Amino acid sequence: MTPVSTTRRLEHVISSEQFDRESLDDIFARADALAGHRDTRLAGLIMATLFYEPSTRTRLSFESAMLRLGGAVVGTEAAREFSSVIKGETLEDTIRMVSSYADVIVLRHDQAGAAARAAAVASVPVVNAGDGPGEHPTQALLDLYTIRCERGSADGVHIAFCGDLRFGRTVHSLVQLLSLHPGVRMSFVAPEVVQVGADLQARLAAAGVPFLLTDRLDDVISSVDVVYQTRVQKERFTDLTDFEAARRAIRIDAEVMRKLPQKAIVMHPLPRVDEIATEVDSDPRAAYFRQARNGVAVRMAVLDLLLG
Ligand code: NCD
């Protein structure tokens, strides 16, 4: 996919691979300017949300972002049950139809590659709001924006990705964006069954990004700047014994927080189950609710770039 440039509007948002440093700076400058504001720049335009998988934050923050820019929203959640999919309609046909009802389509789907398939037939911009175990590029944008807000810059950070690195699409997208930053080091902390895939490791090696794989948070906790914890993605497992083994492996609690440097932060795309103990929430280093809040401004910036 060709990187977007600041001189060209975004056409679709499908993968983190579309972004370069210049386009990221542009999106974050727009997010800074739009945060907390409301205006009418997208008045008369309609955003359709088409969600084939559950969501709270992504769908509502996209809807809130569109409404704050003066646009309107139509949509279906639980699209698998409540749309014509149940009658056997293909994704392609659905997208062709929705293209004539809305000016932008925000799509969440359970299959990797679904957003790219949608973009291939859509006559309006498509935003990938999560495609199965594939990618979740706007989550990665808000994650990176959060690291910048919390730490000033993502350059040189040591980040520990924890939890489900195999099926966790937010990890796949954020790894790509962070690999554009000089001096970044990545530790992948997970049991074998949910460790990061060989393809992603090969991409990091090719990009010259130093990384290590471990199943022990203790190996890295005292030197990390960012802990990025994730939920083990139960819905992607065919073998529930694998899921149970993975689920208990890495947990952030008060004891882990005692070993974490004072200037470090803990992130999580949410929803959490029990992989971060609630006792951590009151620690100022717990950044996950601030991270979720950043979703609105970043998605305003993305909609502005697509439609403005
Ligand atoms: C994530 C997702 O859907 O991939 N949630 C989100 O969008 N904030 C993470 C998850 O479901 O565990």
Side-chain angles (χ1 to χ4, degrees):
M1 208 153 278
T2 38
V4 292
S5 85
T6 43
T7 50
R8 190 163 62 81
R9 273 190 12 198
L10 275 171
E11 279 170 16
H12 302 283
V13 178
I14 306 301
S15 163
S16 280
E17 284 180 40
Q18 287 171 256
F19 301 102
D20 57 17
R21 278 299 287 262
E22 199 190 355
S23 54
L24 293 173
D25 287 343
D26 183 19
I27 289 170
F28 298 147
R30 282 173 200 253
D32 283 341
L34 290 167
H37 290 281
R38 286 161 202 261
D39 67 39
T40 54
R41 70 183 67 190
L42 300 188
L45 297 175
I46 297 171
M47 177 183 82
T49 52
L50 205 51
F51 277 59
Y52 292 78
E53 277 194 341
S55 167
T56 306
R57 271 150 295 273
T58 304
R59 190 169 61 81
L60 293 184
S61 64
F62 259 114
E63 293 187 358
S64 177
M66 188 64 178
L67 295 170
R68 282 165 197 248
L69 293 173
V73 176
V74 295
T76 176
E77 54 176 331
R80 195 156 289 290
E81 294 82 33
F82 296 138
S83 73
S84 292
V85 169
I86 206 152
K87 302 180 185 170
E89 186 170 61
T90 64
L91 174 66
E92 282 78 1
D93 280 0
T94 305
I95 294 293
R96 282 190 190 98
M97 296 316 308
V98 178
S99 287
S100 51
Y101 305 150
D103 303 288
V104 58
I105 299 171
V106 180
L107 173 71
R108 170 165 290 189
H109 201 275
D110 54 338
Q111 288 166 16
R117 276 169 53 206
V121 296
S123 53
V124 298
V126 172
V127 180
N128 181 4
D131 60 338
E135 283 217 47
H136 194 347
T138 64
Q139 178 71 42
L141 291 171
L142 79 89
D143 292 343
L144 179 59
Y145 183 71
T146 300
I147 296 173
R148 290 192 181 195
C149 291
E150 298 275 333
R151 300 190 47 86
S153 166
D155 293 350
V157 300
H158 177 197
I159 183 165
F161 288 100
C162 307
D164 191 341
L165 314 182
R166 178 178 172 205
F167 296 121
R169 55 196 175 198
T170 71
V171 173
H172 305 157
S173 291
L174 182 56
V175 162
Q176 169 62 28
L177 293 189
L178 283 173
S179 69
L180 301 174
H181 293 71
V184 165
R185 283 188 296 144
M186 303 185 191
S187 295
F188 297 107
V189 186
E192 184 62 34
V193 66
V194 283
Q195 233 336 332
V196 76
D199 49 340
L200 199 145
Q201 291 180 48
R203 271 199 278 136
L204 287 174
V209 178
F211 65 93
L212 75 82
L213 271 52
T214 176
D215 59 1
R216 288 164 35 95
L217 192 50
D218 271 349
D219 290 350
V220 297
I221 190 74
S222 61
S223 71
V224 299
D225 304 303
V226 179
V227 172
Y228 190 94
Q229 174 67 309
T230 59
R231 177 179 68 88
V232 177
Q233 310 277 297
K234 185 176 185 184
E235 62 275 31
R236 316 262 180 246
F237 283 79
T238 42
D239 181 346
L240 279 187
T241 45
D242 282 352
F243 163 71
E244 284 301 333
R247 183 171 94 83
R248 292 177 208 292
I250 315 287
R251 188 160 188 267
I252 313 292
D253 57 14
E255 199 193 323
V256 171
M257 294 304 280
R258 274 194 286 281
K259 299 175 195 161
L260 184 72
Q262 274 315 312
K263 283 190 165 161
I265 54 168
V266 179
M267 298 175 63
H268 190 306
L270 303 176
R272 85 170 136 189
V273 185
D274 55 5
E275 61 278 0
I276 299 181
T278 51
E279 67 201 17
V280 175
D281 297 357
S282 55
D283 189 303
R285 294 169 294 176
Y288 29 93
F289 294 118
R290 299 193 290 276
Q291 177 186 354
R293 194 163 53 230
N294 287 334
V296 175
V298 169
R299 289 177 169 129
M300 287 170 87
V302 168
L303 290 171
D304 187 34
L305 262 168
L306 288 166
L307 300 171

